Amino acid sequence: MSDTGDDDRGSEELAAFEGSDIYADDGSVRSDFLMHVGAAIADRDTIYLRKHVAGLHASELGDLLEAIQPEQRLALVSLLGKEFDLAALTEVDEAIRLDIVEHLPNEQIAEAIGEMDSDDAVYILEDLDQEDQEEILAKLPFTERVRLRRSLDYPESTAGRRMQTEFVAVPPFWTVGQTIDYMREDDDLPESFTQIFVIDPTFKLLGTVDLDRVLRTKRSVKIDAIMRDTSHSVPAEMDQEEAAQLFEQYDLLSAAVVDDNGRLVGVLTIDDVVDVIQEEAEEDLLRLSGVGDEELSDSVAEASRSRVPWLFVNSMTACISASVIGLFDATIQQIVALAILMPIVAGMGGNAGSQTMTVTVRALATRGLDIHNAPRIIRREAGVGLLNGMIFGSFIGLVAGFWFQDVHIGGIIATAMLINMMAAALAGILIPLLLDKSGADPAVSSAVFVTAVTDITGFFSFLGIATWWFHVT
Amino acid sequence: MSDTGDDDRGSEELAAFEGSDIYADDGSVRSDFLMHVGAAIADRDTIYLRKHVAGLHASELGDLLEAIQPEQRLALVSLLGKEFDLAALTEVDEAIRLDIVEHLPNEQIAEAIGEMDSDDAVYILEDLDQEDQEEILAKLPFTERVRLRRSLDYPESTAGRRMQTEFVAVPPFWTVGQTIDYMREDDDLPESFTQIFVIDPTFKLLGTVDLDRVLRTKRSVKIDAIMRDTSHSVPAEMDQEEAAQLFEQYDLLSAAVVDDNGRLVGVLTIDDVVDVIQEEAEEDLLRLSGVGDEELSDSVAEASRSRVPWLFVNSMTACISASVIGLFDATIQQIVALAILMPIVAGMGGNAGSQTMTVTVRALATRGLDIHNAPRIIRREAGVGLLNGMIFGSFIGLVAGFWFQDVHIGGIIATAMLINMMAAALAGILIPLLLDKSGADPAVSSAVFVTAVTDITGFFSFLGIATWWFHVT
């Protein structure tokens, strides 16, 4: 996608900061470049900015926008004027994107969007409010408008929303020669592509041909002789995560997106899929530790809001575990060592549980865990719980026994640890599996339940066994 | 890569289980297909297996191998004989791959590897012991052997190890027409490609041309007129994660891999990069919850071994926190409510700390957090800690005050919560940042330190304030 950009830049003289030179060794934007840009913004030095900033790759410009001070961003955008590459906005945090888009005149957005790939255009349009969206769309040529509206009509996170509506499609009876001639002459081709689609007059998808196949084939050969079945075409309503899994499984570079009637409406490309894979992995990671939709550019209030729900649920389960301790207050008053040791039992169980839970949630997300191997994995986790329970039960039992010079306490904590590590293992695998089975996202709520199980089991087994034992003896 | 596979299959009659039909709606392999395959293995029904299994896509065959019983795997492979597609081994867990490869005759491996893309071949060879590796390499033609040895000589997890050594390269003075004619006539081209490299007679890389650019250009145009600078070529020694970041940033489909002298040695393709991205995301997730290199096919002993180190470190820090509680045993004996409530303070701190830590580790991994915005993010996290500390300090303070009908206890726990949530926020961001700065992987060890800080601060502040307060009043 950077062909034309490179060509434009080739004719200019860019000394210091061309290309990936804007990055320091650790991957951050170079400080001296930031200083120069900051000074140029302060001086309203549009010559410097046009020379060293306007020509940056969209993702470099995005990184620059994220690195400079918030108050410099709008100044930079307005100083660059029409030379500001709006594609950079697809590379920055949502908060920054909205801030900039709101300050740009709709005319400028419409003009830039007309020149963008449709997937980038949709990415920018979808966050705008209805009114601005309509105003911008109204300024676009008819076909462009229809295409963008169609993408925007598909629900968020579907292939239809992510697809690019520019593609190359030819009829099956054309020859390779005709196809090449068409590509040489048509000016309206997508910026870059790796596949040609074969369609009938109603746009029904018949097959695909990879470009290397076209290049290897003699001019006289018909397209339908070299096209492949499109067993991997993607329905426009398919969830983007599912589409990403198709790409991964079959090593696809692009895939045809078809509507309910099997008609070609767009193409999903691997670069968008890579973004989806990253987003989904990030989402799972954040969900697992109880963080909601959050971005680095969020304010204190926004970040706090994304984390309060999990902390709230957790404060509830913490109170329940505390009340379990309360059942044994008489025992604790007699033997304070129990109060000192009980967090070890609960904590180790919590850690063992979160290990199993993480492995399970990840395996569910990558479809490594399914009904065929679930029984084996459950048995394995139970085995790991038993083994690690015996290892750490004995170890902590010895430590506690020596610490308090009391063999009873050592034996009690060893038993409680063994019980809690087993409970942790079973909770760690069964809770995500059941949540997944019942249609909930196991990444979101597993941790609450697993911690609750290990805390309650830990306190109850340790204090319960101690109460029983010391009353018995 | 599945072109030829599809063509072969096209001529056969595959009724029930062709293509992606082997999957049920939830993405697992269909149970009835597994039953049929199991029965065919038991009956040594090679006709069924050749018809319905041999033609599967490598990744489908990989999923099938993972879904069937361990004892069926070797039987299936030996029944398929030469029709077993070894590329399926690049799609399964390491344990399964090694098990199968060890049981295959080296002749069969050598033959299959000779027909594979070099990156797949290296993927299978690298896990074998030196002796088998040499024996297999010795059976290969000279050029093949040299190429594979070169890849194997690069360290694990580098671009050189992941690259494919088959590529299309042309001199800059060729015309588009000559290039197309060459591709039409040469039988030795890679299975699929999206880019042509431009080299001088010493194999020094001069530029690249995307295939769509070749197809759009008139036959008489010289290659050097349409080639692009290769500002994104990848040194063979570059870490695969860094290479993956280049692909993401510049939306690359493939990149030239060059040696120290800038000579083209191979090509890194997006399908391998997608695998790298998945692996790295998985690694971060597992590391954060203290799981080592672990696969679903691991045994109880292997899985236990991957989790013991973190549990051990954690049992150490748990003992230290316990000894902090021990400092206040006299106070606890007087006021048992403190023992009941103290896990709430420590636990809520631990959760808040792990939220901040996860956000930080992820931002470091995706390079969203760097020296330019670190001060702002640290300030933000401190703000979030203060805000959430006030919210949950007041909430838990009220709950505890009513529970024990004691305004002092309510005030003390509220204060301790506020302190611990602030400590959690600072530990959650500063510990990963410092680990990263000192060259350690923040995903591996952050959690240990953060939990230690929140446990110790939680117990010390709550019990310490209580001791001071009740002694004073």
Side-chain angles (χ1 to χ4, degrees), chain B residues 400-439:
Chain B
F402 276 103
W403 185 351
F404 294 97
Q405 292 292 310
D406 187 334
V407 68
H408 299 287
I409 288 200
I412 291 166
I413 199 171
T415 315
M417 287 271 301
L418 179 61
I419 293 173
N420 203 26
M421 300 280 274
M422 285 288 295
L426 292 175
I429 186 156
L430 293 179
I431 288 172
L433 275 178
L434 290 175
L435 286 171
D436 187 60
K437 197 88 191 157
S438 69

Side-chain angles (χ1 to χ4, degrees), chain A residues 2-3 20 23 27-29 31 34 57 59-60 63 180 183-184 189-194 211-213 215-219 228 248-251 253 270-271 274 277-278 281-282 285 288-291 294-298 300 303-304 307-308 310-312 314-316 318 322-323 325-326 329 333 336 339-340 342-344 348 351-352 354-356 358-359 362-363 367-368 370 372 376-377 380-381 383-384 387-388 392 395-396 403 421 459, chain B residues 2-3 20 23 27-29 31 34 57 59-60 63 180 183-184 189-194 211-213 215-219 228 248-251 253 270-271 274 277-278 281-282 285-286 288-291 294-298 300 303-304 307-308 310-312 314-316 318 322-323 325-326 329 333 336 339-340 342-344 348 351-352 354-356 358-359 362-363 367-368 370 372 376-377 380-381 383-384 387-388 392 395-396 403 459:
Chain A
S2 62
D3 314 23
S20 52
Y23 296 105
S28 63
V29 180
S31 303
L34 283 183
H57 186 279
S59 70
E60 294 168 343
D63 286 340
I180 295 181
M183 285 190 276
R184 288 207 181 118
L189 296 178
E191 257 194 76
S192 74
F193 56 98
T194 60
L211 292 193
D212 61 321
R213 179 56 70 101
L215 282 167
R216 287 182 223 213
T217 309
K218 303 238 176 295
R219 283 183 68 90
R228 279 193 291 150
E248 277 183 80
Q249 171 140 33
Y250 299 105
D251 292 342
L253 292 175
I270 182 80
D271 55 313
V274 167
I277 292 173
Q278 282 282 28
E282 174 154 343
L285 181 67
L288 266 179
S289 52
V291 180
E294 188 178 311
E295 293 186 319
L296 272 186
S297 61
D298 282 354
V300 170
S304 165
R307 301 186 201 171
V308 160
W310 156 254
L311 289 175
F312 180 72
N314 213 270
S315 67
M316 291 288 133
S323 68
I325 304 174
D329 54 351
Q333 198 144 28
V336 180
I340 296 173
M342 65 185 186
I344 301 182
M348 290 290 288
N351 286 314
S354 101
Q355 289 179 330
T356 304
T358 306
V359 170
R362 181 65 191 172
R367 301 199 169 172
D370 54 38
H372 306 304
R376 189 179 71 75
I377 306 286
R380 183 189 77 165
E381 289 302 325
V384 173
L387 182 58
N388 287 355
F392 288 98
F395 174 65
I396 296 290
W403 186 351
M421 300 281 273
F459 293 135
Chain B
S2 60
D3 315 22
S20 52
Y23 296 106
S28 63
V29 179
S31 303
L34 283 183
H57 186 278
S59 71
E60 294 168 343
D63 286 341
I180 295 182
M183 286 190 275
R184 287 204 180 121
L189 295 178
E191 258 194 77
S192 74
F193 56 98
T194 60
L211 292 192
D212 61 322
R213 179 56 69 100
L215 282 168
R216 286 182 223 213
T217 309
K218 303 237 176 296
R219 282 183 68 89
R228 279 194 290 150
E248 277 184 81
Q249 172 141 32
Y250 299 105
D251 292 342
L253 292 176
I270 183 80
D271 55 313
V274 167
I277 292 173
Q278 283 282 28
E282 175 154 341
L285 181 67
L286 294 181
L288 265 180
S289 51
V291 180
E294 188 178 310
E295 293 185 320
L296 272 186
S297 61
D298 283 354
V300 170
S304 165
R307 301 186 201 171
V308 161
W310 156 254
L311 288 176
F312 181 72
N314 213 271
S315 67
M316 291 288 135
S323 68
I325 303 174
D329 53 352
Q333 199 145 26
V336 181
I340 296 173
M342 68 185 184
I344 301 182
M348 291 289 290
N351 286 314
S354 99
Q355 289 180 330
T356 305
T358 307
V359 171
R362 181 66 191 171
R367 301 199 170 173
D370 55 38
H372 306 304
R376 189 179 70 76
I377 307 286
R380 184 190 75 166
E381 289 302 326
V384 173
L387 183 57
N388 287 356
F392 288 98
F395 174 64
I396 297 289
W403 185 351
F459 293 135

Side-chain angles (χ1 to χ4, degrees), chain B residues 124-371:
Chain B
I124 291 175
L125 283 174
E126 63 184 356
D127 289 332
L128 298 181
D129 53 41
Q130 200 66 31
E131 206 181 313
D132 284 332
Q133 220 181 67
E134 283 307 319
E135 201 181 316
I136 292 167
L137 284 172
K139 292 184 203 300
L140 293 174
F142 175 75
T143 44
E144 197 94 16
R145 186 162 67 231
V146 171
R147 282 174 168 189
L148 292 177
R149 277 239 173 80
R150 182 159 58 185
S151 283
L152 287 166
D153 279 346
Y154 288 111
E156 230 182 302
S157 305
T158 59
R161 185 65 83 85
R162 287 267 181 177
M163 71 188 177
Q164 191 176 318
T165 50
E166 298 91 1
F167 48 78
V168 180
V170 299
F173 51 81
W174 275 20
T175 62
V176 166
Q178 276 176 296
T179 306
I180 295 182
D181 292 342
Y182 159 71
M183 286 190 275
R184 287 204 180 121
E185 272 142 41
D186 195 297
D187 289 333
D188 210 26
L189 295 178
E191 258 194 77
S192 74
F193 56 98
T194 60
Q195 234 179 11
I196 297 175
F197 299 106
V198 188
I199 53 173
D200 75 6
T202 67
F203 265 75
K204 210 164 136 33
L205 182 67
L206 303 173
T208 60
V209 190
D210 289 337
L211 292 192
D212 61 322
R213 179 56 69 100
V214 176
L215 282 168
R216 286 182 223 213
T217 309
K218 303 237 176 296
R219 282 183 68 89
S220 55
V221 177
K222 285 245 167 74
I223 287 290
D224 63 2
I226 58 169
M227 79 183 187
R228 279 194 290 150
D229 287 355
T230 47
S231 41
H232 308 311
S233 67
V234 173
E237 307 274 350
M238 185 185 263
D239 186 81
Q240 59 180 9
E241 196 175 354
E242 220 175 306
Q245 273 161 347
L246 273 184
F247 272 72
E248 277 184 81
Q249 172 141 32
Y250 299 105
D251 292 342
L252 306 179
L253 292 176
S254 62
V257 180
V258 293
D259 68 9
D260 294 343
N261 303 313
R263 276 192 299 252
L264 183 65
V265 291
V267 51
L268 196 64
T269 52
I270 183 80
D271 55 313
D272 296 321
V273 169
V274 167
D275 293 342
V276 170
I277 292 173
Q278 283 282 28
E279 280 169 29
E280 299 290 344
E282 175 154 341
E283 216 180 80
D284 276 358
L285 181 67
L286 294 181
R287 291 282 178 288
L288 265 180
S289 51
V291 180
D293 284 318
E294 188 178 310
E295 293 185 320
L296 272 186
S297 61
D298 283 354
S299 66
V300 170
E302 287 163 333
S304 165
R305 205 177 308 131
S306 100
R307 301 186 201 171
V308 161
W310 156 254
L311 288 176
F312 181 72
V313 176
N314 213 271
S315 67
M316 291 288 135
T317 61
C319 288
I320 297 173
S321 329
S323 68
V324 170
I325 303 174
L327 298 176
F328 303 99
D329 53 352
T331 317
I332 292 175
Q333 199 145 26
Q334 273 172 24
I335 312 159
V336 181
L338 299 180
I340 296 173
L341 293 172
M342 68 185 184
I344 301 182
V345 182
M348 291 289 290
N351 286 314
S354 99
Q355 289 180 330
T356 305
M357 177 188 77
T358 307
V359 171
T360 307
V361 167
R362 181 66 191 171
L364 284 170
T366 56
R367 301 199 170 173
L369 182 57
D370 55 38
I371 45 163

